[in-house]
Amino acid sequence: MQAHSLTRTRRPGPPLARAVRACRYPTWLLLLILIWPVGGLAAALKDVEFASLPGNQVRIDLVLSEAVAAPRDFSTDSPARIVLDLPGVTSELPRKNVAIDVGPVQSLTALDAEGRTRIVVNLATPVPYRVQSQGDRISIAINESAVTSPLAVPAPVAPPSAAPSTAKGPELRGIDFQRGPAGEGRVLVKLPRPDTRATVAEQGGKVVVEVLDASLPARLRRRLDVVDFGTPVVAIESQPKGRDVAITIQPTKDYEYLAYQVNELFTIEFRTLTQEQQERKRRDQITFSGDRLTLNFQDIEVRAVLQLLADFTGLNLVASDSVKGNVTLRLKNVPWDQALDIILKSKGLTMRQKGNVIMIGPTEEVMAREEQELAATQKIEELVPLRTENIQINYAKATDIAKLLASQQMQVAKVSGSLQQGDAQAEEEETQARGLLSSRGSVTADERTNTLLVQDTADKLEQVRLLVARLDVPMRQVMIESRVVIASDNFARELGVRFGANRLQVNENKGDFNEIYGGRPGTLVGENYWGTTVDDTVPLMVDLPAPNATSAINFLIGKIGSYLLQLELSAMQQEGRGEIISNPRVITSDKQKAEIEVGQQVPIVTPGTQNEPPTVKYQDATLKLTVTPHITPDNRILMALKVTKNEADEALKVDGNPYINKRAVETNVLVDNGETVVLGGVFERSRFTSKEQVPWLGNLPIVGNLFKNDARKETNNELLIFVTPRILQPELKSR
């Protein structure tokens, strides 16, 4: 019986049975594997539930297929987000994005990749939170009044200081870049401290990270070109911005980024969007905010569906007689305005809403009706009576605004001349060229009262008044303060010696009192040495005195026979320091040229000839500041500057005319409000040394100093030009 039973089991059966028989493992083990639930291999995110609690609190529950380990979580301030990572969990949500719009919570996004699910909770503002795991549910308590769990790690916010500090903040520790395993680009910023705040914003297609109250060391002030890494990041540039540090990241066109902070490491991660993600992003840009509804109909009339939507929204709906046809739709939990948009697009319809009334009709019919209304409106404007109005101009010039309005009218008139020739292109240009004034309008400016006299229709006059209100505003003013510093430092030293020998006049009868050494003119004055008289009319042997000596001393250093040896040492040392500071300042309006000048004119005399008398010309020797400031939208100041300082040098003259020492700088510079910048500087140093000596004897050590003259002179001149612009606030000007 057993053999017969085995024979029967070998008969061909279902594929699953054949696979079991072919396997060498025990049958009970195979059955255990087959009946093991597939869902046990990986947990799944089934649903997201949320509720609003008192005190602007929100509770979000993540419903899983089974219990999982506690998730890893972190938060970011800008953009305000809470991020949870669920390893080994897959997402089975019907939609990746879940709209919440409760309290500070805007939406929730579930991203499934790399064997994990990342939950991103988008917030309106950074708020505290708490994460708690309980069975197959993970709860996120947001904006609780008391947060005691150590899992909540929102970035702390530094308290505002009482007064702005000029001291630099702590330095960034590093700025690095890494390429992730999936081709993502990671910008790693090592903050000075974990509580250092950083903001992220998109500006002009770039992502700008601002680290607040921090400074940038010189080694990190650079531009990183990372295009060779093959990531969405092209370049990274770091530069200081006042008391903050700005890190500008240039990505490619299609990307998404996520910023998060763990301790002192701030990471900005960029990923390239796939074709499907790009298409989804374009669809998601159209936002719908209506109440959600569910529609499930098979071959229902379009007019009936529109009637249902009108009853659901409470709006008045008017459908054209041309709206016909049936539609089959199944929409579950979608905004009513999105459902209406889908129905209209599927049937080629267009809607126009005026107040609480919605009018629906075929697109061609609606456009034709609007063209007829526009043509009728233009005909009515041609028959509307003209009105005249006086508009007072307070700050601007009435003539300038009149030219602006008249230029539009002249352009229309020029194009209208082309229309007389039947030019179709000119007709299109006329529509684009029409400005604020109609073809029948006119404008005149009264300079005496600074008033505009405008004649046109009532609608055009209203547009002119709105334009004047935007243009007739006071100009912002800037005070530019400049400092021209001229510093000089002089030093001079001279050492000299005179050496001679005189014979004692003891016995004049012998006639040997003229036996004197030396051939240089000059004498060493002296008498009554040892009760004798020294001849002071004999020449010197060494004559190297200090030319501008301020001190000297005379020595009688010895006697050789009947000769006296005399030595005179002379010296001079001179030091001088000077500083000239000129401080011109001027106030001007934005984009208006200003000039301030102070000084004198120096006459330059040209000698006359037999046929022409002498002439006199005056040359400026003044301090002059010329500046044209421009205030940028971010309250920085762009200046076109020219600073000159010319002065007459009375020490140097030619034919009685002094030299003119010129110092000037001309440049364009961009400066922060209240910041001092050095426009330029010139440093001059001159050194002069000279030595005169008796050959050979002057080279002897120590003794050689008695046979030479040393002179040394140093001169240092330095010119610095500083400029400090300040934007005058309206409240300061009023006071």
Side-chain angles (χ1 to χ4, degrees):
M1 293 296 292
Q2 294 178 355
H4 179 69
S5 176
L6 292 174
T7 303
R8 293 184 62 185
T9 57
R10 292 193 183 97
R11 289 183 300 174
L16 179 59
R18 292 199 301 269
V20 172
R21 289 196 299 269
C23 185
R24 293 176 298 174
Y25 296 100
T27 305
W28 65 268
L29 180 59
L30 296 176
L31 293 176
L32 181 62
I33 295 175
L34 291 176
I35 66 175
W36 188 269
V38 178
L41 297 179
L45 177 61
K46 294 293 187 179
D47 196 6
V48 175
E49 300 176 357
F50 56 90
S52 176
L53 302 178
N56 203 26
Q57 303 178 30
V58 181
R59 179 187 177 92
I60 301 176
D61 287 345
L62 306 179
V63 182
L64 305 172
S65 61
E66 61 182 61
V68 296
R72 297 190 297 268
D73 65 282
F74 59 89
S75 65
T76 61
D77 279 355
S78 181
R81 292 174 177 172
I82 300 173
V83 182
L84 278 72
D85 281 340
L86 307 176
V89 177
T90 60
S91 175
E92 295 183 359
L93 297 178
R95 296 188 62 185
K96 182 179 71 173
N97 298 321
V98 179
I100 297 179
D101 293 331
V102 176
V105 182
Q106 296 177 340
S107 62
L108 181 144
T109 303
L111 304 174
D112 188 3
E114 299 180 359
R116 63 173 179 173
T117 295
R118 169 164 288 186
I119 306 298
V120 180
V121 181
N122 300 306
L123 306 175
T125 56
V127 293
Y129 69 96
R130 178 171 57 87
V131 180
Q132 184 178 5
S133 298
Q134 189 174 12
D136 59 351
R137 284 178 175 263
I138 298 177
S139 299
I140 310 173
I142 301 175
N143 200 22
E144 282 190 336
S145 57
V147 179
T148 58
S149 173
L151 296 176
V153 200
V157 179
S161 59
S165 174
T166 58
K168 292 184 178 180
E171 294 185 349
L172 292 184
R173 297 168 55 187
I175 300 175
D176 202 357
F177 177 80
Q178 291 181 357
R179 186 181 190 274
E184 65 271 17
R186 297 189 182 121
V187 181
L188 308 176
V189 182
K190 294 183 179 179
L191 304 176
R193 296 188 300 264
D195 59 349
T196 302
R197 296 184 59 195
T199 62
V200 184
E202 293 189 48
Q203 299 177 3
K206 299 181 180 180
V207 177
V208 179
V209 181
E210 290 192 8
V211 183
L212 308 181
D213 294 329
S215 60
L216 186 66
R219 60 184 178 84
L220 299 180
R221 193 174 302 180
R222 60 190 177 181
R223 174 184 173 88
L224 300 178
D225 190 350
V226 295
V227 68
D228 295 337
F229 285 82
T231 67
V233 182
V234 177
I236 307 168
E237 186 173 359
S238 308
Q239 59 184 0
K241 185 179 179 181
R243 299 180 66 249
D244 307 331
V245 176
I247 303 174
T248 304
I249 306 170
Q250 180 180 351
T252 55
K253 290 184 178 179
D254 299 318
Y255 68 93
E256 63 177 0
Y257 73 93
L258 176 66
Y260 56 90
Q261 179 179 345
V262 179
N263 294 330
E264 69 275 2
L265 183 62
F266 189 82
T267 305
I268 309 98
E269 184 174 304
F270 292 81
R271 292 178 178 269
T272 303
L273 296 178
T274 62
Q275 190 70 25
E276 181 182 357
Q277 290 173 334
Q278 295 176 19
E279 184 65 26
R280 189 183 302 114
K281 183 179 180 181
R282 284 192 291 268
R283 291 197 305 265
D284 294 344
Q285 287 178 352
I286 304 176
T287 58
F288 299 96
S289 58
D291 295 336
R292 298 178 180 271
L293 51 77
T294 299
L295 299 175
N296 190 354
F297 295 103
Q298 181 73 24
D299 197 21
I300 186 175
E301 291 185 359
V302 175
R303 304 176 70 89
V305 177
L306 296 178
Q307 181 64 36
L308 289 175
L309 292 176
D311 294 340
F312 180 80
T313 59
L315 296 175
N316 300 317
L317 189 145
V318 178
S320 172
D321 295 338
S322 303
V323 178
K324 299 178 181 179
N326 296 348
V327 64
T328 298
L329 50 87
R330 184 178 184 274
L331 302 176
K332 182 179 180 181
N333 195 26
V334 297
W336 72 264
D337 48 356
Q338 184 179 8
L340 178 61
D341 183 72
I342 293 173
I343 296 172
L344 295 180
K345 287 182 179 179
S346 64
K347 305 303 290 184
L349 302 176
T350 299
M351 76 169 185
R352 295 291 185 268
Q353 184 173 358
K354 294 183 179 180
N356 63 342
V357 178
I358 297 178
M359 296 178 291
I360 297 177
T363 304
E364 296 80 4
E365 181 181 333
V366 173
M367 294 180 62
R369 183 171 62 249
E370 290 179 347
E371 290 179 358
Q372 293 176 0
E373 293 177 355
L374 180 60
T377 303
Q378 293 178 350
K379 290 293 184 181
I380 294 174
E381 288 181 355
E382 294 178 357
L383 301 177
V384 171
L386 300 180
R387 296 175 54 190
T388 303
E389 186 169 341
N390 300 336
I391 301 178
Q392 180 66 48
I393 307 300
N394 298 321
Y395 303 101
K397 292 183 179 180
T399 54
D400 294 340
I401 298 181
K403 289 179 182 179
L404 177 64
L405 299 176
S407 63
Q408 297 282 350
Q409 190 180 20
M410 290 174 60
Q411 187 177 6
V412 172
K414 180 178 179 181
V415 176
S416 300
S418 302
L419 286 174
Q420 297 176 1
Q421 302 176 3
D423 191 350
Q425 182 179 1
E427 183 178 0
E428 180 181 357
E429 292 178 355
E430 181 186 19
T431 304
Q432 299 176 356
R434 289 196 179 276
L436 295 178
L437 295 181
S438 66
S439 58
R440 299 187 298 160
S442 62
V443 59
T444 306
D446 182 16
E447 297 184 4
R448 185 178 64 85
T449 59
N450 202 37
T451 304
L452 283 179
L453 308 177
V454 185
Q455 185 180 31
D456 212 323
T457 62
D459 293 340
K460 293 295 182 180
L461 289 177
E462 181 63 24
Q463 296 179 16
V464 171
R465 283 195 296 268
L466 294 177
L467 176 64
V468 171
R470 296 191 62 180
L471 297 181
D472 188 25
V473 294
M475 298 290 292
R476 302 179 69 182
Q477 295 186 340
V478 185
M479 181 180 71
I480 295 94
E481 181 179 359
S482 177
R483 293 182 181 87
V484 182
V485 180
I486 303 174
S488 61
D489 186 1
N490 302 322
F491 176 81
R493 176 183 293 170
E494 296 177 359
L495 298 175
V497 63
R498 300 173 71 191
F499 184 75
N502 289 350
R503 175 176 176 273
L504 291 175
Q505 300 176 356
V506 178
N507 190 355
E508 298 181 1
N509 296 327
K510 292 183 177 180
D512 54 358
F513 61 90
N514 289 326
E515 297 175 3
I516 303 300
Y517 297 98
R520 295 292 301 165
T523 59
L524 293 174
V525 180
E527 60 182 358
N528 296 328
Y529 290 117
W530 298 316
T532 61
T533 300
V534 180
D535 188 357
D536 59 356
T537 60
V538 296
L540 302 173
M541 292 193 308
V542 178
D543 186 15
L544 298 173
N548 302 312
T550 57
S551 61
I553 187 170
N554 208 333
F555 294 95
L556 182 62
I557 60 176
K559 174 183 178 185
I560 301 176
S562 59
Y563 294 93
L564 298 177
L565 298 180
Q566 290 181 267
L567 174 66
E568 180 187 84
L569 299 178
S570 56
M572 183 276 294
Q573 181 169 324
Q574 181 180 3
E575 295 184 20
R577 288 184 177 86
E579 188 175 281
I580 302 175
I581 300 178
S582 304
N583 186 205
R585 62 181 67 182
V586 65
I587 297 177
T588 183
S589 299
D590 184 23
K591 300 179 183 178
Q592 299 297 319
K593 181 179 179 181
E595 185 176 293
I596 184 172
E597 185 176 11
V598 61
Q600 60 183 355
Q601 289 186 325
V602 179
I604 305 299
V605 181
T606 302
T609 61
Q610 295 181 353
N611 300 326
E612 296 182 359
T615 59
V616 179
K617 295 182 179 180
Y618 291 89
Q619 187 170 354
D620 292 335
T622 61
L623 171 65
K624 185 176 181 181
L625 170 64
T626 305
V627 60
T628 304
H630 170 52
I631 303 175
T632 61
D634 57 350
N635 282 337
R636 304 174 76 185
I637 305 171
L638 178 64
M639 297 180 292
L641 276 164
K642 184 177 182 180
V643 183
T644 59
K645 181 174 176 59
N646 302 334
E647 59 183 2
D649 190 350
E650 298 294 340
L652 299 175
K653 294 184 178 181
V654 176
D655 295 334
N657 300 320
Y659 279 77
I660 302 296
N661 297 328
K662 302 189 68 175
R663 304 175 182 89
V665 62
E666 183 174 2
T667 184
N668 292 326
V669 63
L670 180 63
V671 186
D672 289 336
N673 181 27
E675 182 182 12
T676 300
V677 62
V678 181
L679 294 184
V682 178
F683 180 76
E684 297 178 349
R685 169 177 289 178
S686 61
R687 291 182 177 180
F688 172 78
T689 59
S690 66
K691 181 173 67 174
E692 299 180 35
Q693 68 178 19
V694 177
W696 302 297
L697 296 179
N699 295 329
L700 296 176
I702 302 177
V703 181
N705 293 325
L706 302 177
F707 299 94
K708 60 184 176 182
N709 173 288
D710 286 330
R712 181 165 66 94
K713 185 176 182 181
E714 293 184 5
T715 302
N716 298 327
N717 293 317
E718 187 172 8
L719 169 66
L720 294 175
I721 300 177
F722 304 86
V723 170
T724 305
R726 292 183 176 88
I727 300 176
L728 300 182
Q729 303 299 330
E731 59 271 15
L732 296 180
K733 292 187 290 184
S734 62
R735 284 186 291 180

